[in-house]
Amino acid sequence: MYKNNMKIEFTTVSDNERFARTVAAAFVLELDPTIDQISEIKTAVSEAVTNAIIHGYDGGEGIVTMEGSICDDTIEFAISDSGVGIPDIRRAREPLFTGKPEMERSGMGFTIMETFMDSVDVESEVGKGTRITMSKRLK
């Protein structure tokens, strides 16, 4: 069984969304993914990080943690924040729902994550933060 793990933390600067995408792509390269798989993983990670930056801290400063693990042919990423939390996870996962309509958000973040990854788990507690864990089998 092959295993590898990584963990990084970065501030809620919007440019760090691009940084997270790059880290995710570099981390999965050892599994020899297809271009489509890399693109899907980068997009899912980007959506989770964007949610943490925009919604997690409600525009304020904070830290986003990104963890990655590989076990055999499966990649898992967990994106977490210690922000405001999600009051209604079921509703937040509905297509087109957005907690920031004034920012012209599409409300498709969770739908995109669920489309590109094999599983998406959301844990959140109001006032304590959110953790999104996503996995995808690559072979």
Side-chain angles (χ1 to χ4, degrees):
M1 176 191 303
Y2 178 76
K3 291 192 91 157
N4 192 8
N5 297 292
M6 68 91 178
K7 180 178 179 178
I8 59 171
E9 293 182 336
F10 46 88
T11 58
T12 54
V13 175
S14 64
D15 285 340
N16 283 334
E17 175 193 336
R18 182 174 50 244
F19 172 68
R21 290 170 58 93
T22 302
V23 169
F27 188 66
V28 302
L29 283 179
E30 63 192 75
L31 293 180
D32 196 26
T34 66
I35 296 294
D36 286 342
Q37 288 171 325
I38 292 171
S39 179
E40 291 169 353
I41 291 166
K42 286 170 54 176
T43 301
V45 166
S46 178
E47 290 295 331
V49 169
T50 297
N51 280 354
I53 291 172
I54 291 175
H55 299 285
Y57 294 101
D58 206 19
E61 294 180 11
I63 298 293
V64 176
T65 302
M66 178 174 154
E67 299 170 78
S69 65
I70 295 172
C71 185
D72 292 330
D73 62 354
T74 301
I75 184 78
E76 181 177 281
F77 284 102
I79 311 299
S80 58
D81 64 67
S82 299
V84 299
I86 302 171
D88 187 343
I89 294 172
R90 184 192 55 75
R91 184 154 186 240
R93 291 180 83 153
E94 291 176 2
L96 303 177
F97 174 80
T98 178
K100 300 268 185 207
E102 70 281 1
M103 293 181 71
E104 298 183 19
R105 306 299 302 168
S106 71
M108 295 298 289
F110 283 118
T111 301
I112 290 168
M113 288 180 242
E114 291 166 349
T115 298
F116 290 147
M117 302 299 276
D118 295 334
S119 70
V120 176
D121 181 57
V122 183
E123 301 170 56
S124 190
E125 189 175 338
V126 174
K128 296 200 175 181
T130 302
R131 180 180 178 90
I132 299 172
T133 306
M134 307 174 284
S135 67
K136 183 176 190 73
R137 188 167 182 244
L138 297 183
K139 305 249 178 187

